[in-house]
């Protein structure tokens, strides 16, 4: 038998959308997680409602690598439509599991992989009478078969089923029976477990599994948000649903039963962002969630919020574009759209979470920043982080935290002041002016908000000098913002290499793994994760300190690289793009290969004469 590969493999489930497979696949991933083994599941589904191929990929990693990996070790395919492609994706020596109720076509046979046929549908037809139940429980047959083949602890799976169907004993019994059919068939017909198998560990510690949209929704509740205005769009809809679910648990007056929150499903994205701006202007903490097409429509209103200086929070769950693009695929292709949203000279604050825990904490940061800076703040997640369940550090909230409402004058402060209130008057020299909440004082502090030019006292004017003073002050405020936004994270104690790697958001796990893979080949890379825009001095210093910096991002046009060049004045030749834009999360293998190939071109001639395999940093030209 081949050498055992414990807790280190990729399995992909090939199903049909709408057949209930998502629940069974989720049970499989969580069972391994509950055995203390790091897992990274990815749900790959079409934008059509039902009937098209869908895939669910789970990476199991003893080392805790949570990014995608190239190649599939075990393919479970129960969808004839995708089966030809599914078979080609199996690595040599891998396994192909299928429903053998019908004979497998000879064209689907490969000599270099193993086949495991289980008559799933036939067994369900023999056991269960209800047609829909047969279809649903077929999924549990293969979960049972995999538990035997991979050595998954049955008690863990039983516990998940009991939790999921609590109070529905008939469903629990039926799922047990379906799983047992798969187990018994494997025991009677195959050698088990496979060399790819799992073994209980204590690697996940106190980490959780959660999707980023739920974490953002919960984070908004903890951040004090009371108003959500939104329009449904994939992949952000579940974020609004999560906020509503958590608000109903945590934002209802226990005595009166009154909701202390409002959710407005607007007629379109334009109306949604308009409601958000209006609510924030009136003193509420309000936000919206959307994706790229929604940001496009909201851009004019974002310009209003920037120019009128109204706190605004927007979560952009990025997807494949442009136009309708690939609604159920992931990208990081809204970077420039979001950074310079609206016409004219605008710059918007961006936050880049990489885990559900950061989705939670950065939502609170977003509201504090929006009110401190009196400007829009966009939380830039994507479909991979937003809709997939990710392993994450636990969500942490400090009950001593006080919301930062920024420079808001109270009625008492207005009453005590002998000076005329200037809404756009910079009295502290940081570019941030004082504001008031409507109704704070019966006569003082009142002003109208408008999108046209005005002077320091909010009086309409189109005089050039007044407009220039205002625009220059906004630049000063932008510089001030750099001290408030989260700084970057570094993945080495000090500079160790002439080469650096820069990444953000969901490229993080793949980039960290690629750093390790390159180190195994003798290439040391310093690494930095950017968490926010505007870029603070640490980003500039990191790039300046290295001969070349590889910028990892998931879009075609190197948008993040363009942002670095534009904002920091970096020589473009110093930055090398590592790009991925096929709609799937980038893999460490791709990053490693592209950086390796790029650095091979920098090797000394003496090294180039040898076989290109494992270059050492000392042999790389400076």
């Amino acid at each position: 038998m081949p050498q055992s590969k414990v807790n280190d493999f990729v399995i992909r489930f090939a199903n049909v959308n709408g057949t209930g497979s998502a629940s069974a696949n989720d049970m499989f991933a969580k069972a391994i997680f509950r055995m203390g083994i790091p897992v990274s599941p990815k749900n790959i589904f079409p934008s059509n409602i039902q009937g098209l191929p869908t895939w669910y990929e789970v990476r199991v990693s003893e080392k805790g690598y949570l990014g995608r990996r190239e190649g599939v070790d075990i393919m479970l395919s129960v969808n004839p439509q995708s089966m030809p492609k599914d078979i080609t994706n199996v690595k040599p020596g891998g396994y192909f599991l299928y429903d053998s109720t019908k004979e497998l076509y000879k064209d689907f046979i490969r000599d270099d992989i193993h086949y495991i046929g289980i008559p799933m549908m036939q067994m369900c037809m023999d056991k269960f009478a209800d047609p829909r139940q047969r279809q649903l429980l077929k999924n549990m047959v293969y979960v049972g078969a995999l538990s035997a083949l991979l050595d998954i602890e049955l008690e863990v799976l039983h516990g998940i089923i009991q939790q999921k169907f609590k109070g529905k004993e008939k469903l629990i019994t039926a799922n047990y029976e379906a799983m047992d059919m798969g187990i018994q068939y494997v025991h009677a017909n195959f050698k088990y477990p496979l060399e790819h198998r799992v073994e209980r560990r204590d690697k996940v510690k106190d980490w959780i599994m959660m999707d980023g949209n739920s974490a953002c929704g919960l984070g908004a509740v903890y951040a004090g948000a009371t108003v959500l205005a939104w329009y449904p769009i994939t992949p952000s809809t579940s974020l609004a649903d999560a906020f509503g679910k958590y608000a109903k648990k945590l934002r209802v007056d226990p005595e009166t039963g009154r909701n202390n929150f409002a959710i407005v499903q607007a007629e379109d994205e334009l109306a949604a962002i308009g409601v958000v701006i209006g609510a924030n202007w009136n003193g509420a903490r309000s936000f919206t969630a959307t994706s790229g097409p929604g940001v496009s429509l909201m851009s004019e209103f974002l310009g209003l919020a920037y120019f009128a200086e109204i706190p605004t929070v927007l979560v952009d769950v990025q997807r494949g574009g442009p136009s309708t693009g690939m609604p159920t695929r992931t990208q990081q292709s809204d970077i420039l759209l979001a950074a310079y949203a609206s016409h004219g000279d605008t710059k918007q604050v961006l936050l880049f979470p990489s885990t559900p825990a950061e989705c939670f904490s950065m939502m609170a940061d977003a509201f504090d920043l929006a009110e401190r800076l009196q400007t829009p703040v966009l939380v830039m997640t994507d479909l991979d982080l937003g809709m997939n369940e990710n392993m994450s550090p636990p969500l942490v909230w400090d009950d001593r935290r006080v919301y930062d409402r920024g420079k808001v004058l109270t009625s008492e402060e207005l009453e005590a002041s002998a000076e005329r209130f200037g809404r756009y008057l910079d009295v502290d020299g940081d570019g941030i002016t004082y504001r008031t909440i409507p109704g704070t004082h019966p006569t003082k502090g009142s002003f109208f908000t408008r999108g046209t030019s005005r002077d320091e006292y909010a009086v309409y004017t189109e005089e050039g000098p007044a407009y220039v003073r205002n625009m220059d002050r906004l630049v000063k405020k932008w510089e001030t913002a750099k001290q408030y936004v989260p700084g970057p994270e570094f993945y080495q104690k000090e500079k160790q290499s002439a080469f650096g790697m820069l990444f953000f958001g969901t490229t993080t796990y793949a980039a960290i793994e690629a750093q390790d893979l390159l180190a195994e080949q003798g290439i040391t890379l310093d690494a930095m994760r950017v968490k926010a825009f505007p870029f603070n001095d640490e980003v500039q210093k990191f790039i300046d300190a290295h001969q070349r910096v590889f910028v990892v991002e998931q879009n075609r046009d190197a948008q993040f690289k363009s942002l670095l060049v534009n904002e920091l004045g970096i020589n473009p030749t110093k930055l090398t793009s590592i790009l991925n834009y096929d709609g799937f999360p980038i893999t460490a293998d791709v990053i490693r290969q592209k950086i390796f190939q790029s650095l091979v071109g920098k090797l000394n001639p003496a090294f180039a004469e040898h076989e290109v395999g494992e270059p050492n940093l000392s042999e790389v030209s400076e």
Side-chain angles (χ1 to χ4, degrees):
M1 178 176 285
Q3 183 179 1
S4 177
K5 300 176 182 178
V6 177
N7 300 338
D8 184 17
F9 59 87
V10 172
I11 180 170
R12 183 181 295 172
F13 299 81
N15 304 100
V16 179
N17 199 25
T19 57
S21 58
S23 178
N25 299 342
D26 179 67
M27 288 183 192
F28 172 87
K30 286 185 176 175
I32 297 176
F33 175 75
R34 292 188 183 187
M35 288 177 63
I37 307 163
V39 293
S40 179
K42 307 292 183 187
N43 193 15
I44 306 163
F45 59 99
S47 56
N48 298 59
I49 295 175
Q50 189 169 356
L52 291 180
T54 182
W55 294 269
Y56 187 86
E57 184 177 289
V58 181
R59 182 178 184 184
V60 180
S61 174
E62 175 91 4
K63 295 181 179 180
Y65 292 133
L66 301 178
R68 283 189 69 236
R69 196 205 74 189
E70 297 292 328
V72 177
D73 299 297
I74 303 168
M75 175 72 74
L76 189 144
S77 179
V78 292
N79 184 3
Q81 183 180 352
S82 66
M83 198 168 284
K85 180 180 178 181
D86 296 334
I87 290 174
T88 63
N89 287 330
V90 182
K91 294 174 63 176
Y95 291 84
F96 187 82
L97 281 71
Y98 65 99
D99 185 353
S100 61
T101 300
K102 293 184 178 180
E103 187 176 355
L104 194 66
Y105 289 122
K106 294 181 179 179
D107 293 343
F108 294 169
I109 303 299
R110 282 174 51 185
D111 295 334
D112 60 344
I113 64 175
H114 308 283
Y115 289 83
I116 298 177
I118 302 171
M120 307 172 195
M121 198 67 231
Q122 185 61 57
M123 287 193 291
C124 287
M125 291 175 66
D126 295 340
K127 180 70 176 180
F128 306 106
D130 180 76
R132 178 59 177 167
Q133 192 178 40
R134 291 170 177 170
Q135 180 63 57
L136 294 174
L137 292 175
K138 181 180 76 170
N139 303 315
M140 295 308 298
V141 173
Y142 69 64
V143 171
L146 287 170
S147 72
L149 291 167
L150 302 178
D151 236 3
I152 300 173
E153 295 174 8
L154 194 58
E155 296 80 6
V156 175
L157 281 166
H158 283 174
I160 294 172
I161 292 172
Q162 290 170 8
Q163 183 179 23
K164 183 176 181 62
F165 300 110
K166 185 177 181 180
K168 301 176 181 179
E169 295 302 321
K170 289 185 178 180
L171 291 178
I172 293 175
T173 300
N175 278 273
Y176 281 1
E177 291 175 344
M179 280 183 54
D180 189 62
M181 288 193 299
I183 293 169
Q184 296 307 321
Y185 192 86
V186 168
H187 287 177
N189 294 277
F190 302 102
K191 292 183 179 180
Y192 62 93
L194 305 179
E195 73 272 16
H196 295 289
R197 62 184 181 86
V198 296
E199 190 175 281
R200 178 172 283 276
R201 294 287 188 267
D202 186 21
K203 298 283 188 179
V204 304
K205 304 301 180 183
D206 60 347
W207 281 37
I208 61 173
M209 289 193 73
M210 190 177 195
D211 64 90
N213 281 353
S214 294
C216 281
L218 183 59
V221 173
Y222 271 76
T226 56
V227 179
L228 163 67
W230 68 295
Y231 184 77
I233 182 172
T234 301
S236 70
T237 297
S238 61
L239 195 160
D241 293 339
F243 176 78
K245 179 181 71 174
Y246 292 124
K248 289 174 183 176
K249 290 183 177 180
L250 302 171
R251 280 287 170 75
V252 177
D253 189 297
E255 295 182 0
T256 65
R258 179 181 178 182
N259 290 339
N260 293 322
F261 64 94
I263 298 177
V264 180
Q265 182 174 327
E267 62 266 31
D268 54 32
E269 286 89 350
L270 291 166
I273 191 68
V275 170
V276 169
I277 293 172
N280 279 295
W281 180 70
N282 276 281
R285 283 194 156 187
S286 179
F287 77 106
T288 189
T290 189
S291 190
V295 178
S296 296
L297 291 171
M298 294 177 181
S299 289
E300 184 176 0
F301 262 130
L302 286 170
L304 170 65
Y306 172 83
F307 195 58
E309 298 179 70
I310 303 171
T312 302
V313 174
L314 184 155
V315 184
D316 179 7
V317 190
Q318 298 170 88
R319 71 188 206 186
S323 187
T324 305
M326 295 191 293
T328 58
R329 296 291 186 267
T330 196
Q331 278 190 3
Q332 296 173 316
S333 54
D334 298 348
I335 304 301
L336 293 177
L337 168 68
Y340 302 120
S342 194
H343 56 280
D345 294 322
T346 56
K347 292 183 180 181
Q348 315 292 8
V349 175
L350 310 181
L351 300 180
F352 302 106
S354 64
T355 65
E358 286 190 341
C359 286
F360 176 76
S361 62
M362 283 190 178
M363 283 300 291
D365 295 339
F367 284 99
D368 281 354
L369 285 167
E371 295 203 295
R372 165 55 51 184
L373 301 171
Q374 300 174 33
T375 197
V377 176
L378 285 75
V379 181
M380 306 296 291
T381 73
D382 56 32
L383 183 144
D384 181 27
L385 176 56
M387 294 193 70
N388 286 320
E389 288 206 321
N390 292 267
M391 270 187 59
S392 170
L395 311 187
V396 177
W397 182 262
D398 186 350
D399 288 331
R400 297 169 298 177
R401 179 168 181 164
V402 177
Y403 300 145
D404 185 352
R405 303 306 303 266
K407 296 182 177 182
V408 181
L409 292 175
T410 65
S411 178
E412 292 75 18
E413 289 170 329
L414 287 167
E415 185 66 34
S417 176
E419 302 294 329
R420 179 187 176 190
F421 170 65
R423 170 64 182 94
Y424 298 107
L425 185 65
D426 182 10
V427 298
D428 298 324
D430 59 2
I432 304 173
T433 64
Y434 285 84
R435 66 186 178 110
T436 61
I437 304 299
T440 296
H441 192 281
T443 59
K444 295 184 177 182
S446 301
F447 69 96
F448 291 102
T449 296
R450 62 196 305 167
T452 51
S453 180
R454 70 279 159 153
D455 66 11
E456 287 80 355
Y457 297 93
V459 176
Y460 162 73
T461 178
E462 293 187 31
E463 293 295 327
Y467 173 80
V468 169
R469 289 197 304 272
N470 188 65
M471 294 300 286
D472 288 347
R473 180 182 57 77
L474 290 174
V475 172
K476 184 184 294 185
K477 182 169 75 169
W478 184 254
E479 291 300 314
T480 299
K482 295 178 181 180
Q483 65 182 282
Y484 288 108
V485 299
E489 182 174 348
F490 299 91
Y491 294 83
Q492 66 285 322
K493 293 182 179 179
E494 57 186 16
K495 182 177 180 293
Q496 298 176 336
S497 173
F499 305 106
M501 178 170 55
L502 183 153
F503 45 89
F504 62 98
T506 53
T507 60
T508 298
Y509 285 127
I512 293 171
E513 183 179 358
Q515 186 185 25
D516 290 347
L517 294 175
L518 287 163
E520 292 174 2
Q521 294 183 284
I523 298 177
T524 301
L525 280 183
D526 296 335
M528 177 181 68
R529 175 164 68 96
V530 178
K531 294 184 179 181
F533 174 72
F535 306 125
N536 63 21
D537 292 341
E538 292 298 316
V539 177
Q540 179 87 58
K541 290 177 183 177
F542 179 85
I543 296 174
D544 290 344
H546 293 87
Q547 178 183 329
R548 288 176 66 191
V549 174
F550 296 93
V551 182
V552 183
E553 52 184 310
Q554 300 191 115
N555 57 70
R556 184 195 68 182
D557 294 339
Q559 295 184 26
F560 203 82
K561 174 186 173 182
S562 296
L563 199 60
L564 290 166
V565 170
N566 190 50
E567 293 295 320
L568 301 179
I570 303 296
N571 184 339
T573 61
K574 192 170 187 176
L575 304 178
T576 300
S577 293
I578 306 297
L579 304 176
N580 178 72
Y581 46 92
D582 62 0
F584 296 90
I586 195 169
T587 65
D589 310 83
V590 168
I591 297 173
R592 181 205 64 81
Q593 182 181 13
K594 290 184 176 182
I595 291 178
F596 180 87
Q597 290 175 342
S598 179
L599 290 180
V600 163
K602 300 286 288 184
L603 295 179
N604 287 326
F607 180 77
E609 293 175 359
H610 301 287
E611 180 181 357
V612 178
E614 298 187 357
N616 188 283
L617 180 61
S618 63
E619 299 173 295
V620 177
S621 299
E622 294 295 324

